[in-house]
């Protein structure tokens, strides 16, 4: 048995499992972001609640970056763990082995082993959530990359400034990573909202923009057209470089099957490989992807 966790900046979810597909949910609690002792106590409480035997492992999917060489966590959303080797500290306090991985990596591992990527050799998981993220699995083994940054396609000055969808000229927006022109600035939910504001001067959440587009609203349709024009070329480049068999899309924008189908239709003509089937597809595991991926990693799959 393993106790697995999906930890974000606001919520900790926990479950026990004997296989990645056999989750028994233990509930959720607010994430203690400022006090490490309280953070450890919450983890310990869930382990006790699940009844995991002494010495049984813990696996954690967490927001932030985990250096695969050192285990060091960089996590601005949870200051009390930032700069810590979380796996070692929890292992020492709870007297059991602990595996910690980035939430994007756990997402793609879950999709590769139990979701839309089942049966495919190379899986690139694309996250279109608040921002843009991703991860890579090859032969059901996670490829975290140097510094734990494999699959992070949302950064780098790559966004086009001239497109054949109005407006024809766009500025490069500043990114939280310190660069400007990153896909993260226009490619996730906040990016879609930024484009809509730039085009129409209106503040709308991404969910409302997608709903209005689906209903035929002209302003929302212009925003979606621009969003896809900016997103599709970088995603096609990622596909050409990595060569995935399939690209499951997670995050909030991944919930719109119509949007994902539009992205797929825009990406496939731009790649070298000719496919007569969808390549960019909705993720199958949404709410539990972090827990499933953590369980798979902790149980030895993907390591």
């Amino acid at each position: 048995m393993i106790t697995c966790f999906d930890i974000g900046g606001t919520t900790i979810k926990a479950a026990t499992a004997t296989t990645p597909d056999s989750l028994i949910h233990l509930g959720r609690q607010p994430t203690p972001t400022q006090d490490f002792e309280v953070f450890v106590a919450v983890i310990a409480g869930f382990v006790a609640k699940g009844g995991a035997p002494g010495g049984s492992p813990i696996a954690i999917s967490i927001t932030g970056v985990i250096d695969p060489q050192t285990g060091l966590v960089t996590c601005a959303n949870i200051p009390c763990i930032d700069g810590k080797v979380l796996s070692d500290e929890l292992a020492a306090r709870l007297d059991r082995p602990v595996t910690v991985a980035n939430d994007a990596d756990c997402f793609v591992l879950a999709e590769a082993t139990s979701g839309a990527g089942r049966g495919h050799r190379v899986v690139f998981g694309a996250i279109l959530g608040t921002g843009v993220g991703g991860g890579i699995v090859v032969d059901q083994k996670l490829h975290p990359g140097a510094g734990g940054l494999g699959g992070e396609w949302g950064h780098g000055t790559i966004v086009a400034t001239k497109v054949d969808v109005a407006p024809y000229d766009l500025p490069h927006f500043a990114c939280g990573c310190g660069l400007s022109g990153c896909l993260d600035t226009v490619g996730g939910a906040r990016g879609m909202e930024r484009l809509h504001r730039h085009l129409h001067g209106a503040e709308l959440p991404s969910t409302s923009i997608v709903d209005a587009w689906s209903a035929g609203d002209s302003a929302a349709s212009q925003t979606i057209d621009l969003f896809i024009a900016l997103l599709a070329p970088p995603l096609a480049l990622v596909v050409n470089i990595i060569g995935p068999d399939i690209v499951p899309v997670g995050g909030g924008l991944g919930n719109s099957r119509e949007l994902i189908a539009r992205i797929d239709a825009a990406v496939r003509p731009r790649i070298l490989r000719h496919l007569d089937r969808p390549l960019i597809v909705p993720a199958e595991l949404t709410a539990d992807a972090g827990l499933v991926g953590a369980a798979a990693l902790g149980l030895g799959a993907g390591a």
Side-chain angles (χ1 to χ4, degrees):
M1 176 189 288
I2 190 168
T3 309
C4 47
F5 294 86
D6 184 1
I7 303 179
T10 58
T11 304
I12 294 178
K13 297 190 293 185
T16 58
T18 52
T19 69
D21 297 323
S22 64
L23 298 179
I24 298 175
H25 292 271
L26 300 174
R28 60 177 66 202
Q29 288 192 28
T31 303
T33 59
Q34 303 296 327
D35 190 323
F36 186 64
E37 297 303 322
V38 177
F39 182 91
V40 173
V42 169
I43 300 298
F46 274 123
V47 172
K49 180 179 180 180
S56 62
I58 291 172
I60 296 173
S61 165
I62 198 161
T63 182
V65 177
I66 294 86
D67 188 310
Q69 279 72 48
T70 65
L72 191 71
V73 173
T74 302
C75 184
N77 291 346
I78 311 174
C80 71
I81 67 170
D82 186 52
K84 295 182 181 294
V85 180
L86 184 62
S87 55
D88 289 354
E89 296 219 20
L90 289 177
R93 290 167 180 259
L94 302 178
D95 194 26
R96 58 187 70 224
V98 177
T99 302
V100 180
N102 166 264
D103 52 1
D105 287 340
C106 287
F107 157 74
V108 67
L109 184 58
E111 285 296 320
T113 57
S114 303
R118 286 188 311 272
H120 293 284
R121 179 172 175 265
V122 182
V123 180
F124 176 68
I127 296 177
L128 298 178
T130 301
V132 176
I136 306 165
V137 168
V138 180
D139 293 329
Q140 298 204 335
K141 302 296 181 184
L142 186 64
H143 175 68
L149 296 171
E152 289 293 346
W153 65 300
H155 296 280
T157 307
I158 58 174
V159 173
T161 55
K162 290 183 180 293
V163 293
D164 57 5
V165 175
Y168 300 103
D169 294 283
L170 278 172
H172 268 170
F173 299 105
C175 183
C177 74
L179 299 174
S180 63
C182 291
L183 187 62
D184 198 70
T185 66
V186 297
R190 300 295 85 80
M192 181 184 288
E193 292 159 5
R194 179 180 287 113
L195 291 176
H196 194 77
R197 185 167 59 247
H198 183 78
L199 286 171
H200 308 295
E203 297 284 349
L204 276 182
S206 61
T207 49
S208 297
I209 296 169
V210 172
D211 288 345
W213 165 65
S214 297
D217 178 79
S218 60
S221 295
Q222 187 183 16
T223 300
I224 295 297
D225 287 346
L226 181 58
F227 175 84
I228 291 173
L230 296 172
L231 182 79
L235 184 51
L237 178 61
V238 171
V239 169
N240 281 339
I241 292 171
I242 297 174
D245 300 302
I246 197 161
V247 181
V249 180
L253 294 180
N255 292 328
S256 170
R257 303 185 75 87
E258 185 180 3
L259 179 63
I260 302 310
R262 275 287 306 275
I263 294 171
D264 177 65
V267 167
R268 280 196 282 148
R270 289 177 163 91
I271 65 174
L272 296 174
R273 185 182 179 194
H274 298 290
L275 290 172
D276 58 3
R277 61 165 176 83
L279 174 68
I280 318 298
V281 301
E284 291 183 5
L285 305 170
T286 52
D288 287 340
L291 291 171
V292 172
L297 195 62
L299 290 167

